[in-house]
Amino acid sequence: MPHPGPPTTQPPILAPHEIPPGVQEVILPSGERALAYSTEPAPAPPPLPVPAPPAAQPIPAWAKSTALLAPTVGGGVAVAAVGLSAAAPGLEAASHVLWSTVAVIAAGGAAAAALIGRIKARTTAAHRPHITQHITSTGLFGRANGTINHR
């Protein structure tokens, strides 16, 4: 088999900026070019620029007032809960009194309505006219005739 001869010039495998860090292009003893991992430490990437620290912003007034009101509102709720727990027996007794008062008012209203109805019936019975009606008709679809008597 004939020897291929002197190595010919080959175009690069990748452009230099496309080769990842830690990899380099090498020429093999046969004359071919290849990519290989390098045993040398890869050059350190350039340090990133450190951004300037943000300027201190003043705290808005609404945030300050909210921060001051939050413990106050919480404390008020706690004090109200303690007050209600202390007043619970008295509130329960007051609710019983109110319900019994409502029952007495309802019963009194019903009794008053019955009494007023009886009194009104007695006074109007003497003045009320007695009305009688007599209605007659002939046949199933006959015309009805009637008389009304006031006594």
Side-chain angles (χ1 to χ4, degrees), residues 42-100:
L48 296 174
V50 178
Q57 299 288 331
I59 298 174
W62 65 266
K64 287 181 184 179
S65 56
T66 302
L68 291 173
L69 283 177
T72 306
V73 171
V77 170
V79 168
V82 169
L84 283 176
S85 68
L91 292 175
E92 184 180 2
S95 71
H96 289 300
V97 169
L98 289 175
W99 279 115
S100 61

Side-chain angles (χ1 to χ4, degrees), residues 3 6-7 26 29 34-35 42 46 54-55 63 68 78 80 85 95 101 105 110 113 115 137 143:
H3 192 273
V26 295
L35 293 177
L68 291 173
S85 68
S95 71
T101 304
I105 290 172
L115 183 63
S137 120
R143 187 171 183 168

Side-chain angles (χ1 to χ4, degrees), residues 3-34:
H3 192 273
T8 58
T9 313
Q10 296 178 348
I13 297 173
L14 292 173
H17 68 277
E18 294 176 341
I19 298 176
V23 176
Q24 64 183 6
E25 185 178 359
V26 295
I27 300 175
L28 299 176
S30 64
E32 293 181 82
R33 292 181 180 199

Side-chain angles (χ1 to χ4, degrees), residues 121-141:
R122 283 185 190 167
T123 57
T124 57
H127 303 295
R128 202 173 342 161
H130 184 73
I131 300 172
T132 57
Q133 290 181 331
H134 297 284
I135 300 172
T136 57
S137 120
T138 56
L140 183 60
F141 295 107

